[in-house]
Amino acid sequence: EGQLVESGGVLVQPGRSLRLSCAASGFTFDDYAIHWVRQTPGKGLEWVAGISRNSVEIAYADSVKGRFTTYRDNVNNSLFLQMNRLGPEDTALYYCVKGRVAAVANGLDIWGHGTMVVVSS
Amino acid sequence: DIQMTQSPSSLSASVGDSVTITCRASQNILKFLHWYQVTPGKAPKLLVYTTSNLQTGVPPRFSGSGSGTQYTLTVNSLQPEDFATYYCQQSYSTPITFGGGTRVEVK
């Protein structure tokens, strides 16, 4: 079974930028869509962004549209999330998640363990 | 955006009980509905995909059903490891949206 390992989460000041990374292994990376989902402390799951297998389709949650950008490197089996103009509301555990199929809109079947982002002054 | 409403937000049950969680979509999502289990300290786990298909390795005491805007997850004969929070998720359209979660607690 596949594995996803996130990195890059840190404490960052409001207004700053941060890039998260996700390294995939154990499955054919460029056959599947990959997503970012976040979980805020004490609250639920929020889908953040998803990118199709060939990057033709990229979608974002309304809450991050225009601030966050996701992109993938199919040669190195990696996914990235560039987060700009961070605010306290972006504080969360960020998961990298494999989609069940190549397109963005579907279920999410392999989850990483997450990387924590804290936005605070 | 499609809104997903789960009920109840929490419930108390005992080992061996059966529980049912409901998820209502703000529009017809044509069975593009999935269920996840979240346990503290662990990565979320896909239980059921596309309304009623059990993910590989998930015990058959879990089952899903529904259509249109109404969907349910049933857990028969609750086991100690089933006390967790459950989320539904629609993939009919982007943005993908989750329900607010249902916490299943020990009575």
Side-chain angles (χ1 to χ4, degrees):
Chain A
E1 177 159 311
Q3 185 178 14
L4 297 160
V5 179
E6 307 90 340
S7 61
V10 291
L11 169 64
V12 62
Q13 291 181 327
R16 303 298 291 265
S17 297
L18 190 64
R19 189 181 81 159
L20 303 184
S21 301
C22 171
S25 61
F27 63 96
T28 305
F29 184 73
D30 57 6
D31 273 352
Y32 299 97
I34 308 291
H35 303 255
W36 294 98
V37 176
R38 66 187 181 186
Q39 183 174 20
T40 51
K43 297 183 79 174
L45 298 174
E46 180 187 15
W47 176 81
V48 173
I51 182 168
S52 63
R53 61 176 293 195
N54 54 10
S55 303
V56 168
E57 180 187 10
I58 305 175
Y60 299 94
D62 293 344
S63 58
V64 306
K65 201 174 295 183
R67 298 188 300 124
F68 289 13
T69 301
T70 191
Y71 55 101
R72 62 191 294 165
D73 176 356
N74 285 348
V75 172
N76 292 299
N77 293 348
S78 297
L79 177 75
F80 303 94
L81 182 67
Q82 177 66 42
M83 304 187 293
N84 298 329
R85 303 197 307 278
L86 284 161
E89 68 278 8
D90 298 314
T91 293
L93 182 64
Y94 284 75
Y95 293 103
C96 175
V97 194
K98 172 186 166 291
R100 289 191 60 254
V101 299
V104 169
N106 212 281
L108 311 170
D109 62 357
I110 299 176
W111 295 65
H113 281 84
T115 187
M116 189 70 199
V117 173
V118 178
V119 184
S120 175
S121 54
Chain B
D1 300 0
I2 297 175
Q3 308 304 314
M4 305 301 293
T5 304
Q6 271 183 251
S7 60
S9 57
S10 67
L11 64 89
S12 298
S14 301
V15 171
D17 287 350
S18 291
V19 298
T20 296
I21 299 167
T22 298
C23 186
R24 187 179 76 251
S26 59
Q27 66 182 73
N28 188 345
I29 55 172
L30 297 180
K31 297 194 173 186
F32 288 102
L33 188 284
H34 319 282
W35 292 97
Y36 301 86
Q37 179 190 62
V38 178
T39 305
K42 292 186 176 181
K45 177 182 177 183
L46 175 66
L47 298 174
V48 174
Y49 62 93
T50 324
T51 296
S52 58
N53 299 283
L54 217 57
Q55 177 69 353
T56 301
V58 174
R61 62 180 180 273
F62 290 90
S63 63
S65 63
S67 63
T69 63
Q70 290 274 125
Y71 298 85
T72 60
L73 174 72
T74 299
V75 187
N76 290 313
S77 188
L78 268 173
Q79 297 301 298
E81 61 268 28
D82 299 337
F83 293 96
T85 302
Y86 295 85
Y87 293 88
C88 62
Q89 172 237 322
Q90 68 81 20
S91 64
Y92 174 75
S93 66
T94 57
I96 287 171
T97 46
F98 286 90
T102 297
R103 184 174 178 183
V104 178
E105 302 174 315
V106 177
K107 183 183 286 184

